[in-house]
Amino acid sequence: MNIHVDDEHLAAMKFGVGQAVPRAEDPALLRGEGCYTDDVVIEGQVYLAMVRSPHAHGVLRGIDADAARAMPGVLAIYTAADLARAGYKPQTSKLPLKSGDGTPMHKTMRTALAVGKVRFVGDPVACVVARSADQARAAAEAFVLDIEALDCVVESRDGAAPGAPQLYDDVPNNVVLDYVFGDTTKIEEAFASAAHVTRLHLVNSRIVINAMEPRAVVAQYDAAEQHFTMHVQTQGVVGSRATAAEVLGVASDKVRILAKNVGGSFGMKGALFPEYICALHASRELNLPVKWTDTRSDSFVSDHHGRDHEFALELALDAQGHFLAVRGDGTANMGAYLTSFGPLIPTLNVAKHLNSVYRTPLIGLRTRCVLTNTVPVTAYRGAGRPEGNYYLERLIDTAAREMGIDAAELRRLNHIAPAAMPYKAPSGSVYDSGDFPAILAEALEAADWDGFAAREAESTARGQWRGRGIGQFLEVTAPASNELGAIRFEADGSVTILTGTHDHGQGHGTSFAQIVSEKLGVPFESIHLMQTDSDALTAGGGTGGSKSLMASGSAFFEASDLVLEKARAAAAHFLEASAGDIEFVDGKFAISGTDRTIGVIEIAQRLAIGGPLPADVPETLDVSHMHALSPSSYPNGCHIAEVEIDNDTGHVQVVRYTAVNDFGTLVNPLIVAGQIQGGVLQGIGQCLMERTVYTPDGQLASGSFLDYAMTHADSAPDVRFISRPSPARTNPLGVKGCGEAGCAGSMTSVMNALTDALARHNVRALDMPATPLIVFDAIEEARAHSA
């Protein structure tokens, strides 16, 4: 991977903000010294296994557990009735969304174990605890379930159709929300006056999230203290504690969440899953530690899935190609139960991203969120951000082709100008910064856009079809509020920093330490991050929505200023000078005009010795600070992909990839480049490989890696990463989120490149995933028509 960052944006310090510092977290992980949830072993622990429905939809008539109960090692069996007697609360989405007619969103109330009905293959109906994991799994296989199978529905468009099987009696037509955004009257007028209207039907395909580390939990109950401890994967221990306490019906201080290393999440692991509630209940009932670890095959139906939307989209343009309005009308698959954020993704989040970097005066969206007999759907890297950008960018390339306008020129014609900042978008967002024309220009130059013809000729000589695609995007990150930034000076000279976001691959320990090291002048290697123990944190909003640097980074930036304020008074005391004569230069406090200095660590250690101090000198440099608010940031960029298609097999390879991005201030360019590379590969996977297939009777046919393809190193292009920053004006660091942008750039550019290659040979456009078989069939169809 190539990394290019303008020198003027790099700080001088080796470990300061702007430096490509290798991740400090990695050596221990590479040595196998990490501690993931399955690594946790507590003396006397027993093992939990889940019993799941083999049917997609049915009435649960009975559960025969007699054979399982008699099997070796079995300690306990629990069903929904046992959990109901314990008084645990069901879970639902708390989003205050309303349908277009003003009625509130229907809520599904999900209990940890199914009551009365099962609604998807994998729906948990019971659990068993045994002395060993093998004994628990064997006992789970011995259950006999009496389920009266019902008709099912797996596609959102079918679920909302008249006469479709109904998942819930109180949710007519399976539609929990009929969301409407925009001024429909003005939008209709814009389309009526348009010289040209481009129309597309696009599927945003379902994704099995497949985090590297399968989910796991170790639950332990202290009967004397009536206290739960849960080792679990999460995206924020403070939020997980609050959710667990609410479901269990106990005070938050009766729950402790521990989440050390987490092997990927992408939005999925933030939930309190049924297995966790079952483990907590079993631990309380048995007074033993209880462990559950998912298998990879079970994770395909026990984890939440991502994406799965289908939209009819339209772009209205005048005769010169100016955008007049864009609108979408479609359905979104929620799965069998609403997750916390599932309904937000295809509604408000898509609407916020339909105008992207363009001066589109009007945007409209209608989304019907539909329940189906499939695995519940949640956030997946981007959570509506890549989708909104994808829909618009596909429309733009299609409009350019239909109107005979160069695709890059059509974008230039409609860009929001830098002078328009701050820009109030029709989505309601206010863009504070960005130079979208310059981003496009640099991307075109870096990708050698004008040299494409020679590369296409070379591909043709080898019997390959070549295409190119632009994917310009803008994301609206989650706002950051009430985030902890605490700094604690330890007796051994190290510094502990505490915050409520959570690192599951983002490199927080490195990036946050760079901020604190530069601000305070303390050694980078002496700074250690704590965000894994809810008992150690007073607050925290968790990681999600690409907001961690705006939240925790800003909190540490401000907390460092508070440390310096306290340290200045102490420095004056120890240096025997007036506070007005003390300055902070090159990481040390000094008496102006002299060489007498003292560092922050030395001040902290001398304060720790104790003894009498003047009233204006603090007893410690420790601070605990809450960052109040950083509004959304607006990271943006332009990715350009080139693909080759083997027209004899349908295989598609991304052969060139250029990513020019505006993430504001780069705290660590190396980590940012890695985040982009990961997002790009996930986007490529969705575009070309990852195909989730349900049979009509609700069975997941692509339920293992034998049937579900993932990106590998041999399918990964060299991603050229270039930074062209316009620092954000809404947070003290000037940073913009980067964690999800790779998907927004790759989904758009890769599918536009594929469409371009196919269009050059009169082959119709395709939806994701464009697997070799799908591409091959489309090529053969075109050949048959031309014969």
Side-chain angles (χ1 to χ4, degrees):
M1 173 176 291
N2 298 299
I3 300 175
H4 167 79
V5 182
D6 295 340
D7 290 341
E8 66 213 48
H9 298 288
L10 298 181
M13 294 178 61
K14 181 179 179 182
F15 295 106
V17 170
Q19 295 299 303
V21 179
R23 290 184 4 144
E25 301 90 338
D26 289 347
L29 298 178
L30 292 171
R31 291 193 299 266
E33 297 170 1
C35 183
Y36 295 87
T37 304
D38 190 52
D39 294 325
V40 175
V41 176
I42 300 175
E43 185 177 355
Q45 72 184 19
V46 295
Y47 297 85
L48 178 83
M50 303 301 291
V51 181
R52 303 183 186 278
S53 171
H55 297 282
H57 196 198
V59 179
L60 182 59
R61 299 295 187 190
I63 300 174
D64 183 351
D66 290 347
R69 192 172 283 109
M71 292 184 72
V74 171
L75 299 174
I77 286 169
Y78 303 110
T79 65
D82 299 302
L83 271 58
R85 282 190 291 271
Y88 304 141
K89 296 180 176 63
Q91 295 188 76
T92 189
S93 174
K94 296 181 180 180
L95 294 169
L97 295 172
K98 293 183 179 181
S99 292
D101 62 4
T103 58
M105 179 176 69
H106 293 282
K107 304 293 180 71
T108 61
M109 308 302 291
R110 187 182 187 186
T111 54
L113 298 175
V115 177
K117 284 181 75 174
V118 293
R119 293 182 170 88
F120 70 98
V121 172
D123 206 353
V125 298
C127 63
V128 56
V129 183
R131 291 291 179 188
S132 75
D134 287 343
Q135 289 173 331
R137 283 192 288 267
E141 293 289 334
F143 277 69
V144 178
L145 305 180
D146 181 5
I147 298 175
E148 178 189 341
L150 300 173
D151 290 340
C152 70
V153 62
V154 298
E155 300 288 349
S156 58
R157 62 179 179 277
D158 298 332
Q166 298 295 290
L167 273 72
Y168 298 85
D169 294 338
D170 60 343
V171 184
N173 300 314
N174 299 311
V175 177
V176 294
L177 179 68
D178 190 346
Y179 177 85
V180 177
F181 183 94
D183 188 326
T184 55
T185 299
K186 290 184 178 179
I187 292 169
E188 287 288 351
E189 292 172 353
F191 273 89
S193 68
H196 181 86
V197 176
T198 289
R199 295 179 174 89
L200 283 177
H201 180 276
L202 293 177
V203 173
N204 182 34
S205 51
R206 177 179 281 244
I207 290 292
V208 179
I209 295 176
N210 281 324
M212 184 179 293
E213 177 197 18
R215 289 187 300 109
V217 62
V218 182
Q220 188 171 24
Y221 184 71
D222 185 329
E225 298 293 330
Q226 297 184 320
H227 182 275
F228 295 92
T229 297
M230 183 165 62
H231 300 261
V232 71
Q233 301 145 345
T234 180
Q235 294 187 194
V237 295
V238 175
S240 291
R241 176 182 61 190
T243 302
E246 180 181 359
V247 171
L248 294 169
V250 299
S252 289
D253 62 1
K254 293 298 183 181
V255 178
R256 183 185 187 188
I257 304 294
L258 294 166
K260 293 186 179 178
N261 296 118
V262 174
S265 175
F266 312 110
M268 181 264 293
K269 291 179 179 175
L272 184 72
F273 282 88
E275 298 87 357
Y276 308 164
I277 301 168
C278 291
L280 290 164
H281 175 75
S283 181
R284 181 161 70 175
E285 292 296 303
L286 298 173
N287 200 29
L288 290 169
V290 176
K291 185 174 192 175
W292 170 82
T293 301
D294 210 354
T295 62
R296 179 58 71 183
S297 57
D298 268 7
S299 73
F300 274 75
V301 294
S302 65
D303 292 347
H304 295 156
H305 290 178
R307 313 286 198 227
D308 203 350
H309 314 146
E310 186 171 351
F311 278 93
L313 297 140
E314 297 177 295
L315 177 63
L317 306 94
D318 68 14
Q320 289 73 43
H322 297 101
F323 300 165
L324 303 178
V326 62
R327 64 184 173 189
D329 188 330
T331 58
N333 200 330
M334 297 290 99
Y337 302 95
L338 291 185
T339 60
S340 295
F341 296 105
L344 180 70
I345 297 161
T347 56
L348 183 59
N349 274 15
V350 167
K352 282 183 176 180
H353 294 83
L354 268 179
N355 58 284
S356 185
V357 299
Y358 306 105
R359 298 187 316 275
T360 311
L362 297 165
I363 59 173
L365 184 71
R366 183 189 179 195
T367 308
R368 288 166 296 288
C369 294
V370 184
L371 296 164
T372 67
N373 297 112
T374 61
V375 171
V377 173
T378 192
Y380 173 67
R381 199 166 191 165
R385 298 169 181 87
E387 292 91 319
N389 283 284
Y390 174 70
Y391 300 148
L392 182 60
E393 289 292 300
R394 286 291 302 272
L395 281 168
I396 292 172
D397 261 30
T398 304
R401 194 172 296 113
E402 292 172 346
M403 298 180 72
I405 303 174
D406 178 76
E409 184 56 36
L410 185 58
R411 288 174 169 84
R412 289 190 196 97
L413 184 65
N414 288 282
H415 274 149
I416 300 163
M421 302 297 170
Y423 178 80
K424 177 69 177 292
S427 62
S429 296
V430 179
Y431 303 168
D432 66 289
S433 59
D435 190 341
F436 313 137
I439 290 282
L440 174 62
E442 184 157 353
L444 293 172
E445 180 180 357
D448 188 23
W449 184 261
D450 293 338
F452 174 78
R455 294 189 295 277
E456 184 187 21
E458 189 275 332
S459 296
T460 301
R462 291 185 286 104
Q464 304 289 300
W465 295 355
R466 196 176 189 109
R468 60 182 179 178
I470 298 172
Q472 194 153 11
F473 67 90
L474 176 141
E475 292 193 322
V476 183
T477 68
S481 61
N482 299 320
E483 187 54 71
L484 174 68
I487 301 176
R488 188 174 67 213
F489 294 86
E490 310 293 357
D492 62 359
S494 65
V495 179
T496 301
I497 57 177
L498 304 92
T499 192
T501 53
H502 193 278
D503 183 345
H504 35 275
Q506 292 88 350
H508 287 181
T510 300
S511 299
F512 298 163
Q514 286 179 255
I515 295 168
V516 174
S517 175
E518 179 173 291
K519 288 284 288 183
L520 299 183
V522 300
F524 170 84
E525 60 275 8
S526 72
I527 302 171
H528 307 291
L529 174 63
M530 161 52 68
Q531 52 181 188
T532 60
D533 183 352
S534 63
D535 277 6
L537 306 175
T538 58
T543 291
S546 296
K547 71 175 191 300
S548 292
L549 261 183
M550 282 90 72
S552 296
S554 296
F556 287 130
F557 185 93
E558 295 165 349
S560 296
D561 283 338
L562 297 177
V563 169
L564 293 177
E565 184 179 330
K566 296 175 73 173
R568 184 180 299 276
H573 170 66
F574 292 130
L575 294 175
E576 299 178 332
S578 167
D581 293 330
I582 298 295
E583 57 184 7
F584 188 68
V585 180
D586 296 331
K588 289 183 177 294
F589 287 97
I591 302 175
S592 298
T594 75
D595 59 359
R596 295 182 60 200
T597 63
I598 187 170
V600 170
I601 295 295
E602 183 181 351
I603 293 172
Q605 290 180 321
R606 291 181 65 172
L607 288 174
I609 295 173
L613 294 168
D616 62 341
V617 176
E619 296 180 357
T620 175
L621 297 186
D622 296 355
V623 300
S624 182
H625 171 69
M626 291 292 294
H627 174 63
L629 176 67
S630 284
S632 296
S633 68
Y634 301 95
N636 62 90
C638 182
H639 293 193
I640 296 178
E642 292 186 16
V643 303
E644 282 188 342
I645 303 173
D646 184 333
N647 60 87
D648 289 326
T649 65
H651 181 263
V652 181
Q653 184 79 25
V654 182
V655 292
R656 283 171 68 96
Y657 199 98
T658 303
V660 177
N661 306 274
D662 169 15
F663 297 132
T665 301
L666 299 189
V667 172
N668 187 313
L670 188 63
I671 287 177
V672 173
Q675 287 288 306
I676 289 303
Q677 184 179 47
V680 166
L681 294 187
Q682 284 179 282
I684 291 173
Q686 182 174 0
C687 290
L688 304 179
M689 303 173 197
E690 299 185 47
R691 188 180 181 207
T692 307
V693 178
Y694 274 98
T695 63
D697 61 350
Q699 296 294 325
L700 183 61
S702 54
S704 77
F705 287 142
L706 291 175
D707 304 294
Y708 188 93
M710 301 281 287
T711 49
H712 294 79
D714 61 358
S715 58
D718 177 29
V719 178
R720 186 181 182 200
F721 171 79
I722 299 172
S723 177
R724 198 184 197 289
S726 297
R729 301 168 184 170
T730 54
N731 63 76
L733 289 165
V735 296
K736 302 176 181 180
C738 71
E740 297 163 312
C743 282
S746 59
M747 285 166 56
T748 53
S749 61
V750 170
M751 287 306 292
N752 275 339
L754 173 64
T755 303
D756 177 61
L758 294 173
R760 291 169 186 267
H761 298 273
N762 300 311
V763 181
R764 61 180 172 84
L766 300 174
D767 271 316
M768 301 181 289
T771 64
L773 177 60
I774 291 172
V775 175
F776 177 80
D777 285 346
I779 293 172
E780 289 298 291
E781 176 188 300
R783 285 171 175 163
H785 286 164
S786 64

